[in-house]
Amino acid sequence: MSRHLLVPMDDSETARRALEHALEVFPDAEITVVHAVDDLEAAYGGGPAIPDAGGREDEPDFFADVRDLAAARGHGGDVETAVVEGTPADAVLEHAREGDADAIVMGSEGRSGVSRVLLGSVAEAVTRRASIPVTIVP
């Protein structure tokens, strides 16, 4: 039975380490890398705009790095990518439920500065509310 892992991703070093951990520890798992765009933050200019649906040209630039890293690590499973809209913790948890993920592997922190203080710790919220195992990578 193959495992399905969800790896939340922003353009941070801790998120990259979480993906590297998932690729190393679960080389045959199906991995979905998900980027959550906070619609409220984007609407008020505090974050990236929410991409239009329509393929890879609308996805974050770092998704190309995700695919390159998976290929370089010889990942046997497929790495899917998705951009979801909503409060990051809620969006990650909803995507995990809808995608039948078996576990979540995520970095301990991503946001920094004022946005992290205002929004709280996404990793903490996901860990507290998830119904599946969550691995936090420092």
Side-chain angles (χ1 to χ4, degrees):
M1 179 176 183
S2 180
R3 296 192 75 170
H4 180 203
L5 304 178
L6 186 70
V7 181
M9 178 68 70
D10 56 15
D11 200 12
S12 70
E13 186 57 34
T14 56
R16 180 182 168 89
R17 284 194 303 264
L19 177 59
E20 289 172 342
H21 178 80
L23 291 168
E24 182 179 322
V25 175
F26 303 100
D28 296 322
E30 175 187 344
I31 295 177
T32 301
V33 174
V34 63
H35 176 63
V37 177
D38 190 326
D39 49 356
L40 184 61
E41 188 176 359
Y44 286 100
I50 299 165
D52 296 326
R56 289 188 175 176
E57 65 274 356
D58 292 327
E59 70 182 16
D61 291 339
F62 59 82
F63 275 2
D65 296 335
V66 164
R67 288 185 198 88
D68 291 345
L69 180 62
R73 294 288 175 115
H75 181 62
D78 194 20
V79 175
E80 296 291 325
T81 57
V83 176
V84 294
E85 181 180 343
T87 305
D90 293 337
V92 166
L93 291 167
E94 181 177 344
H95 198 78
R97 275 190 302 277
E98 289 176 358
D100 291 325
D102 297 307
I104 299 171
V105 178
M106 64 187 303
S108 59
E109 58 186 56
R111 297 182 183 276
S112 61
V114 175
S115 65
R116 183 166 185 220
V117 172
L118 293 175
L119 297 173
S121 171
V122 175
E124 179 185 350
V126 168
T127 302
R128 246 185 309 109
R129 296 174 32 213
S131 59
I132 58 177
V134 178
T135 299
I136 304 294
V137 178

